[in-house]
Amino acid sequence: MLQNLKDISGSAVPVRVGGTTANHAIWTPNQKEAIIQNFATPGADQPANVTWGPAYLESFKVFPKGTKYTIGVTFDSGKKGEDASVAEATAFYKGMDKDLYAIEVGNEFDVFPVNRNTTTWTISQYVSEWLSRTSAIASRVLPKNNQRFFQAGIFVTPGTISADVSWTAQAAIDLGIASTGLAKTFCTHQYFGAACRPVKPTLAGNVMNRTALIQGMNYHAGAAAYSVSKGLQYVIGETNSIACQGLAGASDVFGAAVWSVDYALYAASLNVSNMYWHMGTGYRYSAWQATQNGTTTPGPRPLYYGNWLTATALGDSDAQVVSIVNTTSLAGYAIYSSKLHRSKLKSVVLVNMEVFNSTSTPATQRPSVSFALPAKLGGKNCKASVRRLTAAGAEVRDEIAFAGRTVALDGTLSGRESKERVSNGVVNVRASEAVLVTFN
């Protein structure tokens, strides 16, 4: 699955490993097993804690060549916590070598501050302890000429879980989180509702809702601009549709694939450098599942098709994205390549986020929108091809296709690519569809 995306985009997909699990992980050098997971309750999505052994490092050698990893280490307090952070960082730095891109110290400590006094915990205290801990890791683990190795922040988007909105990228930067020169990126996490809350999110209300998407991204627009102005790339370091590992019927259906294209490109247009889609065995919002999990079988999931289109559209890592259509249900993005210091339009992505449910409405009544390509692109004589991401409806889980092709259970792309020609300078996009327009 990852090799496909590398072949399409030209570079290996960056991978972040850690999160909540890293907050409760213990490096055990004498452990023979790669990883031992301890679950508080049978069938839980996540283990209560894990122990890692040296064999765990072998797992980082199986992904495509060139894969760069961001890895989380513990942020327990005191000297014991520092020694644990250093032990884990040492193991990962030595065991992963050039594949290690960044280290995260702690996960979502703005709302889940492990072994800290939650009544007195503040962003000022966090920054002070983070600077001390990363300095300790740098001095005890990293070479003096290469210590800018840390992803800072790892906050939840302010206001989405806690009423305390003081934990912002700007506040952390102003408090000096980049003052030691060890931080290379600033990271925030983003979800659009939570499955573990009493009122359940929905596909139409939370996922395929462009008003909610734009509102959710307002914070990131300012955070990204400020971070970049201070020399830190801005990253959405953990994200997906619905928090608490996704929700059946909202996160694991075709509508989520269409939404993911809109979300990823909208974020890119706001100076977000990278997005990391959260995954886990059995999670409802995963892009694929690698192994059998209870009654859930391995194979691709709808989200992967959205990743496929996005990777095809962005291609080279120098791509620049500009929002050109932005309504309550429609989105359009112009994607430029800036190789050799010259910007050149390479493609346009058009998304129709109107929800179409094939179980309640006949296919013949599926609405659509026609987009007229600008005269500067040739108007009615525009020479372009269209690759369509489509399925019967937003609610389906199967029979999804991108440009006529599908993903087999073993991860291979199958079928012959089908491109449509642009007719009279107009591209038609049906409800719950996305298209990639490439200019010849």
Side-chain angles (χ1 to χ4, degrees):
M1 304 295 283
L2 287 168
Q3 186 65 48
N4 291 338
L5 299 178
K6 179 183 179 181
D7 294 342
I8 290 164
S9 66
S11 58
V13 176
V15 174
R16 176 251 189 176
V17 181
T20 300
T21 310
N23 276 347
H24 304 283
I26 301 171
W27 180 256
T28 310
N30 298 324
Q31 179 176 298
K32 293 182 179 180
E33 297 88 348
I35 181 171
I36 297 176
Q37 304 180 78
N38 302 300
F39 291 88
T41 57
D45 280 329
Q46 295 180 349
N49 57 72
V50 302
T51 56
W52 291 325
Y56 181 59
L57 296 169
E58 297 171 11
S59 63
F60 293 91
K61 304 299 181 183
V62 301
F63 285 167
K65 187 177 181 180
T67 299
K68 298 296 183 182
Y69 298 94
T70 296
I71 188 75
V73 300
T74 184
F75 194 23
D76 284 354
S77 61
K79 183 63 166 62
K80 183 178 179 181
E82 179 185 309
D83 289 343
S85 298
V86 168
E88 292 176 18
T90 299
F92 289 121
Y93 181 76
K94 291 182 177 179
M96 297 168 67
D97 195 28
K98 295 180 180 179
D99 292 338
L100 181 62
Y101 174 75
I103 298 171
E104 290 184 340
V105 179
N107 176 72
E108 299 180 348
F109 262 62
D110 51 334
V111 290
F112 305 112
V114 178
N115 80 351
R116 303 306 200 277
N117 185 338
T118 57
T119 61
T120 59
W121 184 242
T122 64
I123 186 172
S124 178
Q125 185 179 348
Y126 163 82
V127 170
S128 176
E129 290 193 25
W130 188 91
L131 290 171
S132 174
R133 184 62 53 87
T134 53
S135 294
I137 294 172
S139 64
R140 295 174 62 181
V141 180
L142 304 176
K144 290 185 178 181
N145 62 347
N146 187 23
Q147 296 192 335
R148 195 171 186 234
F149 239 99
F150 296 91
Q151 182 149 285
I154 315 104
F155 297 164
V156 174
T157 301
T160 56
I161 293 181
S162 169
D164 182 358
V165 295
S166 65
W167 293 72
T168 67
Q170 181 169 342
I173 293 169
D174 289 347
L175 285 166
I177 204 163
S179 61
T180 57
L182 301 180
K184 66 190 304 184
T185 54
F186 195 94
C187 161
T188 309
H189 297 173
Q190 174 69 48
Y191 291 91
F192 297 86
C196 48
R197 292 177 182 170
V199 179
K200 301 300 180 186
T202 64
L203 179 64
N206 295 75
V207 182
M208 297 188 73
N209 181 339
R210 292 212 79 240
T211 300
L213 171 63
I214 293 167
Q215 288 176 345
M217 294 303 290
N218 282 341
Y219 166 78
H220 300 286
Y226 196 77
S227 297
V228 171
S229 73
K230 299 300 181 179
L232 295 178
Q233 286 191 357
Y234 186 77
V235 171
I236 297 181
E238 178 185 311
T239 192
N240 217 304
S241 53
I242 306 298
C244 307
Q245 295 78 60
L247 183 67
S251 303
D252 60 351
V253 294
F254 177 63
V258 177
W259 160 82
S260 75
V261 174
D262 190 4
Y263 175 34
L265 295 181
Y266 189 70
S269 76
L270 300 178
N271 237 342
V272 174
S273 298
N274 283 78
M275 292 175 69
Y276 292 81
W277 296 96
H278 197 222
M279 293 179 62
T281 305
Y283 292 6
R284 277 66 63 190
Y285 53 38
S286 288
W288 69 86
Q289 183 161 303
T291 61
Q292 184 80 23
N293 183 57
T295 59
T296 310
T297 57
R301 301 291 183 260
L303 179 63
Y304 187 75
Y305 285 82
N307 297 160
W308 183 0
L309 188 154
T310 302
T312 307
L314 292 176
D316 298 335
S317 60
D318 71 333
Q320 303 294 313
V321 181
V322 178
S323 173
I324 55 173
V325 178
N326 190 14
T327 77
T328 55
S329 61
L330 305 173
Y333 302 94
I335 300 171
Y336 295 84
S337 173
S338 56
K339 283 185 175 180
L340 302 177
H341 307 290
R342 292 183 299 174
S343 293
K344 180 181 179 181
L345 181 66
K346 56 188 291 188
S347 61
V348 166
V349 173
L350 304 170
V351 185
N352 187 340
M353 287 268 276
E354 181 179 353
V355 179
F356 178 75
N357 190 308
S358 63
T359 60
S360 59
T361 307
T364 55
Q365 296 179 24
R366 188 171 188 169
S368 66
V369 174
S370 293
F371 293 84
L373 298 176
K376 287 184 178 181
L377 298 178
K380 292 183 178 181
N381 298 317
C382 179
K383 295 180 179 179
S385 58
V386 176
R387 280 174 278 193
R388 189 175 301 272
L389 176 63
T390 190
E395 86 290 358
V396 305
R397 294 179 172 87
D398 301 307
E399 297 185 4
I400 301 167
F402 175 51
R405 304 183 73 194
T406 59
V407 188
L409 290 177
D410 65 355
T412 57
L413 305 182
S414 60
R416 188 172 182 177
E417 186 173 69
S418 172
K419 294 183 181 179
E420 306 166 26
R421 291 183 178 181
V422 173
S423 177
N424 294 319
V426 173
V427 179
N428 187 269
V429 186
R430 298 183 299 175
S432 303
E433 274 190 346
V435 301
L436 171 62
V437 184
T438 306
F439 301 98
N440 300 332

